[in-house]
């Protein structure tokens, strides 16, 4: 029987050892090719989650504001009012806008006319969500500005007073 050459002190053939080293090199190359794609996918999912979370927060804040405005009703447009917003402030247009903006963490937008019983009050807000990574912005960003995604929400409630 003929045996292949072995390393000194090793019972394995030299060819097997060299094949194993080549496999390690192939594994490193595969990792170098796949890791950036995996990390980009992971980062994209994280940013998408942030956008969805802020969209839900904006919707909830606007809905809370519309409900607060509906409870205050016509008292929003009177100088002497006794009703309170959920945060304890008196019902006024300025206090309602402040209440809504505090609930949506930096969003903006509001308009008002009158709010008689049975009439609807409508609150609209928009927020420009930064996307942090330019490549993700190309997929999620606004058409004119890929660095942000504009999130908007509208809520209506029927005036009670």
């Amino acid at each position: 029987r003929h045996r292949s050459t072995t390393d000194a002190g090793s019972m394995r053939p030299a060819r097997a050892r060299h094949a194993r080293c080549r496999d390690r090199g192939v594994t490193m190359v595969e990792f170098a090719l796949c890791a950036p794609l995996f990390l980009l996918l992971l980062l994209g999912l994280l940013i998408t989650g942030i956008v969805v979370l802020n969209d839900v927060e904006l919707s909830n804040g606007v809905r809370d504001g519309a409900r607060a405005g509906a409870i205050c009703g016509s008292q929003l447009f009177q100088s002497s009012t006794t009703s309170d917003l959920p945060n304890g402030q008196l019902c006024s247009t300025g206090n309602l806008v402040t209440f809504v903006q505090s609930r949506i963490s930096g969003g903006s937008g509001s308009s008002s006319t009158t709010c008689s019983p049975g009439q609807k009050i409508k609150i609209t807000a928009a927020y420009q969500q930064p996307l942090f990574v330019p490549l993700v912005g190309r997929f999620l960003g606004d058409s004119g500005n890929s660095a942000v995604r504009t999130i908007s929400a509208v809520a209506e409630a029927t005036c009670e007073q």
Side-chain angles (χ1 to χ4, degrees):
R1 287 176 27 163
H2 176 57
R3 295 189 130 202
S4 61
T5 315
T6 59
D7 290 314
S10 173
M11 297 304 289
R12 292 190 183 141
R15 287 185 193 177
R17 187 178 64 80
H18 290 301
R20 200 174 57 223
C21 289
R22 278 195 308 264
D23 287 344
R24 283 187 193 153
V26 168
T27 303
M28 289 176 63
V29 169
E30 288 173 351
F31 178 76
L33 291 174
C34 294
L37 296 175
F38 176 73
L39 291 175
L40 183 63
L41 178 66
L42 189 64
L43 188 61
L45 287 172
L46 178 71
I47 292 172
T48 301
I50 290 170
V51 170
V52 169
L53 177 72
N54 286 337
D55 186 39
V56 169
E57 181 184 347
L58 181 68
S59 296
N60 288 340
V62 168
R63 186 177 53 242
D64 289 348
R67 180 72 182 136
I71 289 171
C72 287
S74 59
Q75 306 236 351
L76 281 171
F77 307 97
Q78 296 174 2
S79 57
S80 60
T81 180
T82 57
S83 296
D84 290 339
L85 290 168
N87 62 359
Q89 294 180 334
L90 288 177
C91 287
S92 71
T93 305
N95 288 344
L96 178 62
V97 170
T98 303
F99 174 74
V100 171
Q101 288 178 341
S102 71
R103 294 284 296 136
I104 60 177
S105 302
S108 63
S110 177
S111 64
S112 57
T113 53
T114 60
C115 191
S116 303
Q119 221 177 6
K120 292 205 182 266
I121 185 169
K122 180 178 182 179
I123 296 191
T124 303
Y127 174 68
Q128 289 194 333
Q129 169 67 51
L131 295 176
F132 311 110
V133 178
L135 190 57
V136 174
R138 293 190 61 153
F139 295 104
L140 294 177
D142 292 344
S143 59
N145 183 1
S146 64
V148 297
R149 167 114 182 166
T150 302
I151 302 169
S152 60
V154 178
E156 286 186 2
T158 305
C159 296
E160 297 178 4
Q161 296 182 10

